Amino acid sequence: MKLLAPKSLEEALAMLAADAEIVPIAGGTDLLVDWPSNLDAHTRTYLDLSALEPLRAHRLNDHSLVLGALSSYWQVIEDAAVTAAFPLLASAARQVGAVQIQTRGTWAGNVANASPAADGVPVLMAYDARVELVYKNETETVPLAAFYTGYKQMRRTSGQLIRALHLPRRRYKLERFVKVGARRAQAIAKLGVAITCSGAGWRVVASSVAPTVCRCPALERLLASGAPIRCPEDLLPAIDRDTAPIDDLRSTADYRRRVLARVLFATLTEEPTA
Ligand SMILES: Cc1cc2nc3c(=O)[nH]c(=O)nc-3n(C[C@H](O)[C@H](O)[C@H](O)COP(=O)(O)OP(=O)(O)OC[C@H]3O[C@@H](n4cnc5c(N)ncnc54)[C@H](O)[C@@H]3O)c2cc1C
């Protein structure tokens, strides 16, 4: 294994431009669990981002939140202003792994890892996050909702680094994140759902029910229509259009679609908090 340790973003980008096979490493919490079983990973060249202090910062102003590429879950949990402005970020962060993972793991690493069961991605997507990608001195920004193209496939080409995630600041009438797992810590989601409603419309984002974390356009249209939803089963036709759950070691496809319907129904019918 070779480890490159750039001291600046410019140096990191030059290294990536010279060899697009280099693998960026942020907190390492996804990459390193793979090591015991993935021997190929031992011979790769890694780019350790941890000395790039400017990427660690997050910035909240009246219009947006910017999470630098090294911003961790713990940073959000500890920041009362961010937690108040984006409560679902804190809610998801508290449910990622346990404290050790929350302090090392990054939002950008969660996005780039592209797991369909990720907990950070649904809440970022429900807040209309955009992914800022940089290659040499070229920057592009892609909506997170359009970032994934298939299982573990994304619109990040090799050589591109995620520099930051950008979230617009809005007034929300409803914000919820629910993760269904076998236990409260150290559990991969059987399913997850993040829901927001603002002047920009409804966002319903589900995890563990498709090859990628995904927005659910049929559900969003149903909620926007104001059609009466009398029981969880009324949501199933839209859920079946939006998702493609599978049976796996954590759950069954049918459990996932039915529990998603129940979780959504409970969220939509619960008493609003003041
Ligand atoms: C015990 C344990 C429990 C966990 N529990 C959960 C959980 O409950 N929920 C959950 O969602 N995840 C969980 N994870 C997975 C992991 O912790 C998260 O996905 C975390 O956010 C990854 O961030 P990282 O900084 O550690 O990423 P890394 O491991 O450093 O990188 C992950 C991927 O992202 C790429 N990458 C990282 N930063 C960049 C960048 N700036 N630009 C381009 N590519 C980049 C890397 O090359 C790699 O492919 C768990 C992991 C462990 C080990």
Side-chain angles (χ1 to χ4, degrees), residues 4 6 9-24 45-47 49 134-136 156-162:
L4 303 176
L9 179 61
E10 293 66 33
E11 201 185 341
L13 291 173
M15 288 168 170
L16 275 168
D19 177 0
E21 299 302 313
I22 292 174
V23 181
T45 300
Y46 292 89
L47 184 77
L49 304 176
V134 57
Y135 174 71
K136 294 184 183 169
R156 173 192 163 246
T157 53
S158 24
Q160 272 186 327
L161 206 60
I162 297 177

Side-chain angles (χ1 to χ4, degrees), residues 85-116:
F86 294 95
L88 301 191
L89 294 187
S91 171
R94 289 193 192 96
Q95 296 180 68
V96 169
V99 171
Q100 295 89 335
I101 299 297
Q102 293 162 14
T103 51
R104 281 203 69 87
T106 63
W107 296 94
N110 199 245
V111 167
N113 188 50
S115 165

Side-chain angles (χ1 to χ4, degrees), residues 147 185 226:
F147 189 60

Side-chain angles (χ1 to χ4, degrees), residues 155-183:
R155 287 174 56 185
R156 173 192 163 246
T157 53
S158 24
Q160 272 186 327
L161 206 60
I162 297 177
R163 180 157 55 194
L165 302 165
H166 298 257
L167 286 70
R169 208 167 166 178
R170 296 183 179 135
R171 284 184 190 282
Y172 287 96
K173 289 180 249 175
L174 188 146
E175 296 162 274
R176 294 281 184 284
F177 172 65
V178 179
K179 171 178 178 175
V180 178
R183 55 185 180 219

Side-chain angles (χ1 to χ4, degrees), residues 211-252:
T212 71
V213 172
C214 59
R215 267 184 69 178
C216 299
L219 281 165
E220 291 174 1
R221 279 196 301 275
L222 177 66
L223 298 183
S225 75
I229 299 164
R230 297 184 187 85
C231 60
E233 287 67 30
D234 284 352
L235 293 160
L236 285 175
I239 287 175
D240 290 340
R241 277 199 292 281
D242 286 334
T243 68
I246 55 168
D247 296 344
D248 66 13
L249 77 173
R250 289 194 303 281
S251 193
T252 64

